[in-house]
C-alpha cells in the first residue's frame, strides 16, 4: 500500500518533469522561429547588401557628377535621378531598423554622418523644390563628393565584416542551440529511461498478479471439477441406493399385502396394519430424500398438460378425506366463482404439492377443519383475464410463531424441535413443494399465528391450454389415472394417501370407477433376477388370474420372448448378464414382427427422469415403479391391454 | 409575366453592357499624357507604345486602389502603402506569362512568379502613408506584399520581390 503510493508519486514527478521539459523545448522552438522571423523583418543577412548598394550608388553618382574643369554640358535630369537614388540609399541606412545594428560599427556611423553632411549641402542645388542648378555650381561641389570616397569605401569593408560577424553569430547561435538541444535530449532520454524502468516494474508486477490469478483459476476449476465429480458420484450412489432399498421394499410390501388376504385374528390384523403403515411411511421418507436430491441436480422437469381443474380438485379432496376423517376433521373444498375449467399445469406436481400441504394441515390440526380454497387471480376487476391460480390451504391447527415460519422452508427444518418429536416426518416436504411451485413459475407463502392455525397460499401462473376442445374428458381421466400411479416417484405424506386409497380399492375388491374391462389369463413373462421379487410377482399375478413364467436374467428373457407368444413382458431393469434396457432393445429388434411388438413394462426401483428417458428410447411401453402394489399391477395390465387394443376376454 | 420578361431583358442588357465595358477596358489602353513612370513589356497583348504598355501616374490612380499597412525591413515602424493591385496593372496590359521581371531605377532586378499576383493581393504602391513617394523616398512605385496579414510571407524571398523605385516590368 505504501510502496503503491510512493510509486504513484514517482510517476507523477517524472511526468511533471517530462511535461516541463517538453514545454521548455516547445518554447525554445517557438522563440527560435520568432527570432528568425524577426531577423528576416530586420533583413539581418541583407545588411551587407544595403551597404554595398550605398557605396555602389555613390560611385554611380560620382560618375554622373560634372567635373570642375573643363566645363562640359550636364544632363541635370539624369544626375537628379542618380542623386535621388543615392539619397534613398543613405535613407535606407538611416531609417530602417537595421540602422541601430549597423551604427554599432563606427565606420558605418562615420559614413552616415559624412554622407548626410554632403546631402545637406547638395540639397541646396538638387533638393526638392529647388530651381535647376548650373553646371558650375554642381562642379563646385565635386571635391566634397570625392572627399566622401574613403567613408564610402569603408561601407564595403563593413559589409564584409558584417557578413563575417553574422556568420560567426549564426555559428555560435547554432552551437548554443545544439548545446541546449543536446541537454534537452539527454534529459528526455534520462526521463524516458526512468519511465521505462517504472513501466517495466509495473509490467512485472502485473505479470506476477496474472500468474497468481491463473493459478487461482486453475485451482478453482480443479476444485469445481472435484465437486462436480463428487456430485455425480452422489447421484450415482443415490440411484443405486434407491434401487437397493426399493427392491427389498417390493418384497416387504408385497408380502404384507398378501398376508392381508389370509385369515388373521384381530391382533394379527392390527400388527399387519402397523407394519404396512410403517413400510409406507419409510417409503415416503425415501421418496422425499430422492425428490430433494433430484431437485438439487436439476433432474426434475415440469411437464405441463391440459388439466380439468374441477376433476383434479375433486380427486385431491377424495384422497385426503379419509385422512381428515380419521382425525375427526372437516375437509372443505371451496372453488371460488370464475375459476377456469381447464388449466395448463403439471398435474402430478400440483397434486404432489397439494397433498403435501393438506397432509401437513391435517397432521398439525387436532380440532376443527382444513380448507382448500381455489381462486382465480385477475389483474383487475372480475372481467379481466385470469393470470394466476391461488390454492389456499388453511387449517385451525396449532399454528406457528415468527421463528417457526422463518425456518419453515429450510431443509430438514420443522416448526420446532418438540414438533419433530411429536409429529415425525423428514421436514423435506415443504422445501420440495416450494421448489416445485417455483419451477412452475409460482410461489408459496405462509401466514400463521401460534395456536390459531396456518394459511399456505400457493400461486401458480395460469396458462390457457391450447387444445382444450380436443382433449376429451375420458382422455383426461385416463391420463390422470395413470399419473396417479406414476406417483411412485412423488413424495410426501399425500402419496401415502394415494397408496392407502389404492390398497383399499384393491382389498375391498371394488371395481374402480374408470370402467376398464377386467382382464385375466394373460400370458405374462416376468424377467426378474431377485428371488423374493419373483415370488411376490408370482403371487400377485396369480391372484389376478394370469399365467406367469420367469426369466432370471436378460439373456434368458430375450430367449424366452423370442420362443413363445406373450401378452405382456414385465422387465426388471437391473439384471445380470443383460440388463432390462438391452434386453428390451434385443426383443424390439427381433426377427418376428409380432413377437418384437410385445408390450414391455419396465419394473424399476429408481425414479429418475433419466431412467425414464432411456426406457422410452429403447421402446419400453410403460413403467411400474417398485414396490408395486397389486392395484398398480392390475391397472397397468388393463391399461396396456386397452392401448394395445387387444380384447382379451376371460377364458 | 410581362414584368418578368422586361426584367429579364434588362438583365441581358446589363450583362451585355458589362461584357462590352469589360472588353473595352481590357482591349485598349489610352496613351499616357504625363511622364511615363511604368512600362510593361514582353508577353503583353495590350500596348500603347512600341511593344510596351506605358503608364503615367493618373492612369494608375484611376484603377481601383488597395492599401496594405505592414511592417517591413525598410522602415522602423509599420507604414501604409496604397496603389492598384499588381494583378490589375498586369491585366490592363493583357500580360500572360509564368514570370514577371521587375526592374528598378537603380537596375535592381527581381523575378516574381506570375501566380503571386493572382494568389496574393500584391499592391503596386504609389502612396506611402497617403503621400506620393519621390525617388529619394524609394518611389515612385513600390511593389509590396501583405506581410502582416500573411506572416508566412516574411522571408528573404518575398522581401527581395518587393522592388522599390520600380520602373519596368518584363513579362516572360
Amino acid at each position: 500500500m505504501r510502496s503503491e503510493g510512493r510509486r504513484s508519486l514517482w510517476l507523477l514527478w517524472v511526468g511533471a518533469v517530462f511535461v516541463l521539459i517538453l514545454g521548455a523545448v516547445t518554447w525554445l522552438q517557438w522563440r527560435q522561429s520568432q527570432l528568425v522571423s524577426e531577423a528576416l523583418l530586420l533583413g539581418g543577412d541583407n545588411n551587407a547588401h544595403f551597404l554595398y548598394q550605398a557605396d555602389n550608388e555613390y560611385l554611380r553618382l560620382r560618375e554622373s557628377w560634372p567635373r570642375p574643369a573643363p566645363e562640359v554640358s550636364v544632363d541635370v535630369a539624369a544626375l537628379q535621378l542618380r542623386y535621388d537614388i543615392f539619397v534613398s540609399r543613405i535613407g535606407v541606412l538611416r531609417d530602417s531598423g537595421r540602422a541601430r545594428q549597423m551604427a554599432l560599427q563606427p565606420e558605418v556611423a562615420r559614413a552616415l554622418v559624412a554622407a548626410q553632411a554632403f546631402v545637406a549641402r547638395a540639397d541646396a542645388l538638387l533638393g526638392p523644390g529647388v530651381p535647376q542648378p548650373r553646371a558650375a555650381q554642381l562642379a563646385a561641389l565635386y571635391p566634397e563628393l570625392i572627399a566622401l570616397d574613403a567613408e564610402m569605401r569603408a561601407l564595403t569593408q563593413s559589409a564584409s565584416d558584417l557578413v563575417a560577424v553574422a556568420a560567426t553569430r549564426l555559428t555560435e547561435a547554432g552551437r548554443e542551440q545544439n548545446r541546449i538541444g543536446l541537454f534537452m535530449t539527454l534529459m528526455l532520454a534520462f526521463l524516458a529511461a526512468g519511465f521505462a524502468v517504472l513501466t517495466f516494474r509495473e509490467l512485472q508486477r502485473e505479470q506476477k498478479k496474472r500468474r497468481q490469478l491463473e493459478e487461482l483459476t486453475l485451482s478453482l476449476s480443479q476444485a469445481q471439477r472435484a465437486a462436480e465429480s463428487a456430485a455425480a458420484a452422489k447421484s450415482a450412489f443415490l440411484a443405486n441406493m434407491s434401487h437397493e432399498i426399493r427392491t427389498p421394499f417390493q418384497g416387504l410390501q408385497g408380502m404384507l399385502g398378501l398376508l392381508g388376504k389370509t385369515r388373521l385374528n384381530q391382533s394379527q390384523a392390527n400388527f399387519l396394519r402397523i407394519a404396512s403403515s410403517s413400510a409406507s411411511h419409510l417409503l415416503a421418507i425415501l421418496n422425499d430424500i430422492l425428490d430433494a436430491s433430484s431437485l438439487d441436480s436439476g433432474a426434475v422437469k415440469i411437464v405441463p398438460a391440459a388439466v380439468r381443474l374441477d376433476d383434479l380438485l375433486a380427486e385431491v379432496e377424495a384422497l385426503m378425506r379419509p385422512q381428515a376423517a380419521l382425525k375427526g376433521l372437516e375437509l372443505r373444498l371451496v372453488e371460488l366463482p370464475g375459476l377456469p375449467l381447464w388449466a395448463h399445469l403439471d398435474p402430478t406436481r400440483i397434486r404432489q404439492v397439494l397433498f403435501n400441504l393438506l397432509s401437513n394441515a391435517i397432521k398439525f390440526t387436532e380440532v376443527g377443519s382444513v380448507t382448500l380454497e381455489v381462486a382465480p387471480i385477475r389483474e383487475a376487476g372480475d372481467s379481466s383475464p385470469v393470470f394466476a391460480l391461488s390454492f389456499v390451504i388453511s387449517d385451525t391447527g396449532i399454528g406457528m410463531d415468527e421463528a417457526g415460519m422463518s425456518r419453515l422452508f429450510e431443509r430438514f427444518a420443522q416448526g420446532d424441535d418438540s414438533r419433530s418429536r411429536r409429529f415425525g416426518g423428514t421436514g423435506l416436504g415443504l422445501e420440495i413443494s416450494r421448489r416445485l411451485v417455483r419451477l412452475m413459475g409460482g410461489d408459496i407463502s405462509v401466514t400463521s399465528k401460534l395456536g390459531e392455525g396456518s394459511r399456505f397460499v400457493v400461486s401458480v401462473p395460469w396458462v390457457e391450454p391450447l387444445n382444450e376442445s380436443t382433449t376429451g374428458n375420458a382422455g383426461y381421466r385416463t391420463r390422470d389415472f395413470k399419473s396417479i400411479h406414476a406417483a411412485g416417484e412423488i413424495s410426501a405424506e399425500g402419496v401415502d394417501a394415494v397408496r392407502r386409497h389404492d390398497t383399499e380399492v384393491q382389498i375391498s375388491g371394488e371395481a374402480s370407477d374408470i370402467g376398464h374391462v377386467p382382464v385375466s389369463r394373460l400370458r405374462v413373462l416376468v424377467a426378474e433376477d431377485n428371488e423374493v421379487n419373483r415370488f411376490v410377482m408370482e403371487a400377485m399375478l396369480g391372484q389376478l388370474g394370469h399365467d406367469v413364467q420367469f426369466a432370471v436374467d436378460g439373456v434368458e428373457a430375450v430367449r424366452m420372448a423370442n420362443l413363445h407368444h406373450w401378452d405382456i413382458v414385465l422387465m426388471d431393469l437391473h439384471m445380470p448378464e443383460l440388463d432390462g434396457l438391452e434386453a428390451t432393445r434385443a426383443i424390439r429388434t427381433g426377427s418376428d414382427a409380432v413377437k418384437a411388438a410385445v408390450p414391455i413394462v419396465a419394473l424399476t426401483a429408481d425414479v429418475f427422469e433419466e431412467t425414464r428417458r432411456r426406457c422410452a428410447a429403447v421402446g419400453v411401453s410403460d413403467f411400474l415403479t417398485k414396490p408395486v402394489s397389486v392395484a398398480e399391477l392390475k391397472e397397468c395390465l388393463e391399461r396396456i391391454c386397452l392401448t394395445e387394443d387387444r380384447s382379451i376376454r376371460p377364458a | 409575366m410581362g414584368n418578368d420578361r422586361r426584367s429579364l431583358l434588362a438583365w441581358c442588357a446589363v450583362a451585355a453592357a458589362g461584357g462590352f465595358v469589360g472588353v473595352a477596358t481590357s482591349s485598349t489602353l489610352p496613351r499616357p499624357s504625363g511622364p511615363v513612370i511604368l512600362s510593361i513589356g514582353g508577353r503583353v497583348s495590350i500596348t500603347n507604345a512600341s511593344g510596351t504598355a506605358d503608364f503615367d501616374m493618373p492612369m494608375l490612380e484611376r484603377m481601383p486602389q488597395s492599401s496594405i499597412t505592414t511592417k517591413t525591413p525598410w522602415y522602423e515602424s509599420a507604414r501604409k502603402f496604397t496603389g492598384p493591385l499588381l494583378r490589375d496593372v498586369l491585366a490592363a496590359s493583357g500580360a500572360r506569362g509564368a514570370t514577371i521581371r521587375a526592374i528598378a531605377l537603380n537596375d535592381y532586378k527581381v523575378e516574381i512568379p506570375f501566380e503571386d499576383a493572382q494568389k496574393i493581393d500584391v499592391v503596386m504602391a504609389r502612396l506611402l502613408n497617403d503621400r506620393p513617394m519621390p525617388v529619394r523616398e524609394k518611389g515612385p512605385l513600390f511593389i509590396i506584399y501583405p506581410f502582416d496579414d500573411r506572416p508566412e510571407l516574411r522571408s528573404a524571398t518575398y522581401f527581395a520581390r518587393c522592388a522599390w523605385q520600380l520602373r519596368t516590368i518584363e513579362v516572360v
Side-chain angles (χ1 to χ4, degrees):
Chain A
M1 203 54 215
R2 202 140 160 218
S3 76
E4 190 90 17
R6 217 173 35 230
R7 213 174 40 251
S8 311
L9 206 68
W10 240 102
L11 274 172
L12 207 70
W13 264 109
V14 174
V17 176
F18 232 133
V19 167
L20 219 66
I21 293 214
L22 282 176
V25 169
T26 310
W27 183 80
L28 263 175
Q29 299 274 3
W30 177 79
R31 180 84 194 121
Q32 193 65 14
S33 81
Q34 283 296 105
L35 280 175
V36 167
S37 163
E38 205 70 12
L40 274 169
L41 205 57
L42 293 171
D45 52 358
N46 242 3
N47 286 348
H49 169 77
F50 285 97
L51 294 172
Y52 279 128
Q53 284 291 317
D55 187 21
N56 190 34
E57 287 303 328
Y58 165 73
L59 289 175
R60 292 176 78 172
L61 178 63
R62 220 170 67 176
E63 256 343 89
S64 313
W65 205 277
R67 313 291 194 274
E71 198 79 31
V72 289
S73 69
V74 59
D75 182 349
V76 176
L79 180 66
Q80 181 77 51
L81 180 62
R82 289 263 75 86
Y83 177 69
D84 284 346
I85 292 171
F86 173 70
V87 173
S88 75
R89 282 293 161 191
I90 297 302
V92 167
L93 288 185
R94 189 192 61 226
D95 294 343
S96 64
R98 77 196 71 244
R100 252 172 292 132
Q101 298 176 27
M102 289 186 293
L104 292 175
Q105 289 179 288
E107 300 87 357
V108 178
R110 262 201 305 280
L112 262 178
V113 170
Q116 280 175 295
F118 172 75
V119 168
R121 289 183 47 72
D123 270 357
L125 299 174
L126 294 168
V130 175
Q132 189 166 325
R134 282 180 293 109
Q137 287 174 302
L138 290 168
L141 265 179
Y142 187 70
E144 288 181 41
L145 182 62
I146 296 296
L148 272 179
D149 187 70
E151 278 82 6
M152 290 296 134
R153 278 294 81 72
L155 284 182
T156 302
Q157 184 57 48
S158 294
S160 304
D161 293 351
L162 208 60
V163 169
V165 167
T168 310
R169 199 178 293 159
L170 199 67
T171 314
E172 261 169 23
R175 249 185 231 139
E176 180 67 18
Q177 196 72 15
N178 277 348
R179 262 201 306 279
I180 294 174
L182 200 65
F183 173 72
M184 296 286 183
T185 309
L186 276 174
M187 282 299 286
L188 280 178
F190 172 71
L191 284 173
F195 248 153
V197 167
L198 284 175
T199 312
F200 179 70
R201 279 174 50 183
E202 196 64 14
L203 266 176
Q204 270 187 327
R205 275 168 45 86
E206 283 296 317
Q207 259 169 0
K208 196 172 153 199
K209 248 193 246 170
R210 203 173 54 227
R211 256 200 315 277
Q212 281 170 346
L213 210 64
E214 273 166 6
E215 277 162 18
L216 187 64
T217 312
L218 192 69
S219 67
L220 279 179
S221 72
Q222 276 168 349
Q224 193 189 355
R225 268 201 297 279
E228 275 166 4
S229 68
K234 192 184 90 177
S235 289
F237 172 76
L238 275 171
N240 272 337
M241 285 314 288
S242 159
H243 173 73
E244 292 302 326
I245 297 171
R246 277 161 191 273
T247 301
F249 247 99
Q250 167 82 343
L252 184 62
Q253 288 210 312
M255 287 302 108
L256 288 175
L258 289 175
L259 198 58
K261 302 290 285 179
T262 61
R263 192 177 297 276
L264 301 171
N265 65 31
Q266 188 59 42
S267 62
Q268 280 172 331
N270 217 18
F271 296 158
L272 182 62
R273 191 173 53 75
I274 293 168
S276 286
S277 157
S278 300
S280 296
H281 190 68
L282 198 54
L283 186 61
I285 292 171
L286 177 68
N287 282 332
D288 268 5
I289 294 170
L290 289 172
D291 244 7
S293 142
S294 300
L295 280 165
D296 280 348
S297 65
V300 173
K301 297 279 179 289
I302 297 300
V303 188
V307 174
R308 253 191 88 133
L309 281 173
D310 52 355
D311 283 353
L312 177 86
L313 295 171
E315 180 197 321
V316 169
E317 188 199 13
L319 291 180
M320 297 312 294
R321 192 167 291 288
Q323 218 177 319
L326 211 62
K327 291 185 77 173
L329 301 173
E330 185 192 354
L331 177 63
R332 284 188 304 199
L333 171 64
V334 182
E335 293 175 46
L336 289 186
L339 198 65
L341 190 60
W342 291 85
H344 195 63
L345 283 172
D346 184 332
T348 309
R349 297 307 186 179
I350 273 289
R351 216 180 273 117
Q352 180 179 355
V353 170
L354 294 178
F355 284 153
N356 177 258
L357 292 174
L358 285 169
S359 301
N360 278 345
I362 292 168
K363 188 155 82 179
F364 293 111
T365 306
E366 297 303 327
V367 184
S369 63
V370 170
T371 308
L372 169 58
E373 184 184 295
V374 188
I377 300 178
R378 298 170 191 278
E379 279 170 41
D382 285 348
S383 54
S384 65
V386 176
F387 74 92
L389 297 174
S390 85
F391 299 85
V392 181
I393 295 96
S394 50
D395 62 53
T396 56
I398 58 175
M400 284 167 288
D401 54 14
E402 289 288 331
M405 277 191 283
S406 68
R407 279 182 288 121
L408 199 58
F409 293 101
E410 285 169 25
R411 181 165 291 190
F412 307 125
Q414 289 182 322
D416 61 50
D417 292 342
S418 61
R419 281 179 193 214
S420 53
R421 282 193 292 277
R422 194 168 136 208
F423 296 101
T426 57
L428 281 171
L430 275 176
E431 190 210 342
I432 291 167
S433 294
R434 179 149 86 167
R435 289 173 67 174
L436 284 174
V437 172
R438 285 186 175 172
L439 275 178
M440 294 174 198
D443 206 351
I444 300 182
S445 62
V446 60
T447 50
S448 181
K449 217 166 186 180
L450 201 59
E452 291 180 20
S454 308
R455 182 181 149 90
F456 287 80
V457 180
V458 178
S459 52
V460 291
W462 180 81
V463 179
E464 187 165 18
L466 287 175
N467 50 354
E468 180 182 320
S469 55
T470 56
T471 311
N473 200 8
Y476 165 72
R477 278 181 176 273
T478 307
R479 199 174 48 253
D480 187 44
F481 196 81
K482 188 172 173 181
S483 59
I484 290 177
H485 288 266
E489 73 185 275
I490 66 173
S491 69
E493 313 280 319
V495 183
D496 299 344
V498 183
R499 289 178 190 284
R500 271 199 293 282
H501 175 73
D502 289 349
T503 313
E504 279 159 21
V505 169
Q506 177 248 309
I507 289 173
S508 63
E510 285 166 10
S512 64
D513 63 347
I514 54 171
H516 281 168
V517 183
V519 289
S520 65
R521 293 213 70 79
L522 297 176
R523 276 154 300 171
V524 182
L525 171 62
V526 177
E528 172 63 79
D529 60 316
N530 186 289
E531 198 189 341
V532 174
N533 284 346
R534 280 205 297 275
F535 180 69
V536 172
M537 290 308 292
E538 186 171 21
M540 283 182 168
L541 288 166
Q543 189 190 335
L544 292 172
H546 303 302
D547 294 334
V548 195
Q549 289 210 39
F550 288 99
V552 298
D553 60 40
V555 177
E556 195 180 0
V558 175
R559 191 176 53 77
M560 289 176 71
N562 286 332
L563 208 59
H564 305 292
H565 175 79
W566 305 95
D567 290 318
I568 197 159
V569 176
L570 298 179
M571 181 77 76
D572 183 31
L573 290 183
H574 296 265
M575 284 186 296
E577 303 295 328
L578 197 63
D579 72 17
L581 289 173
E582 287 307 313
T584 304
R585 200 197 310 278
I587 292 169
R588 288 284 182 247
T589 54
S591 53
D592 186 328
V594 177
K595 285 173 183 154
V598 65
I600 300 176
V601 177
L603 288 168
T604 172
D606 82 52
V607 294
F608 296 100
E609 299 276 348
E610 171 66 20
T611 311
R612 283 169 188 268
R613 271 199 300 279
R614 278 163 57 206
C615 286
V618 296
V620 164
S621 317
D622 207 339
F623 297 93
L624 276 174
T625 307
K626 290 181 184 178
V628 182
S629 70
V630 178
E632 281 168 351
L633 184 59
K634 176 167 177 276
E635 194 272 328
C636 175
L637 294 178
E638 283 167 353
R639 187 166 66 241
I640 289 289
C641 290
L642 275 179
T643 48
E644 293 297 315
D645 197 26
R646 297 173 174 207
S647 322
I648 298 159
R649 298 288 151 201
Chain B
M1 193 63 200
N3 239 347
D4 283 357
R5 185 168 295 154
R6 238 192 339 269
S7 67
L8 187 72
L9 281 172
W11 262 114
C12 289
V14 167
F20 178 75
V21 170
V23 168
T25 51
S26 63
S27 62
T28 63
L29 198 62
R31 299 186 71 81
S33 50
V36 174
I37 56 165
L38 175 68
S39 297
I40 303 180
R43 298 176 60 187
V44 290
S45 57
I46 306 164
T47 57
N48 54 6
S50 58
T52 62
D54 286 353
F55 295 85
D56 60 5
M57 192 56 91
M59 287 167 73
L60 294 176
E61 269 173 24
R62 281 196 296 269
M63 290 184 175
Q65 305 290 300
S66 292
S67 286
I68 293 174
T69 301
T70 181
K71 280 188 283 185
T72 63
W74 309 284
Y75 301 99
E76 245 184 303
S77 56
R79 297 288 159 104
K80 181 183 177 192
F81 297 86
T82 307
L85 289 174
L86 175 59
R87 94 168 62 96
D88 291 342
V89 179
L90 290 172
S93 68
R96 293 272 188 285
T99 308
I100 57 174
R101 191 174 291 148
I103 304 163
L105 287 170
N106 66 339
D107 301 328
Y108 174 78
K109 283 182 190 160
V110 66
E111 292 202 334
I112 300 173
F114 200 89
E115 59 177 16
D116 266 19
Q118 310 304 322
K119 288 185 176 171
I120 305 167
D121 287 339
V122 180
V123 168
M124 183 178 285
R126 46 174 204 85
L127 299 177
L128 179 69
N129 284 354
D130 299 323
R131 288 171 54 197
M133 290 177 277
V135 174
R136 55 194 289 155
E137 287 170 19
K138 307 182 192 71
L141 295 175
F142 196 140
I143 291 180
I144 190 80
Y145 283 69
F147 295 109
D148 279 9
D149 291 347
R150 300 179 63 171
E152 75 272 14
L153 296 177
R154 289 184 194 168
S155 71
T157 308
Y158 287 98
F159 291 138
R161 286 175 191 171
C162 293
W164 35 276
Q165 291 172 345
L166 176 71
R167 174 61 184 83
T168 310
I169 286 175
E170 279 177 26
V171 182
V172 186

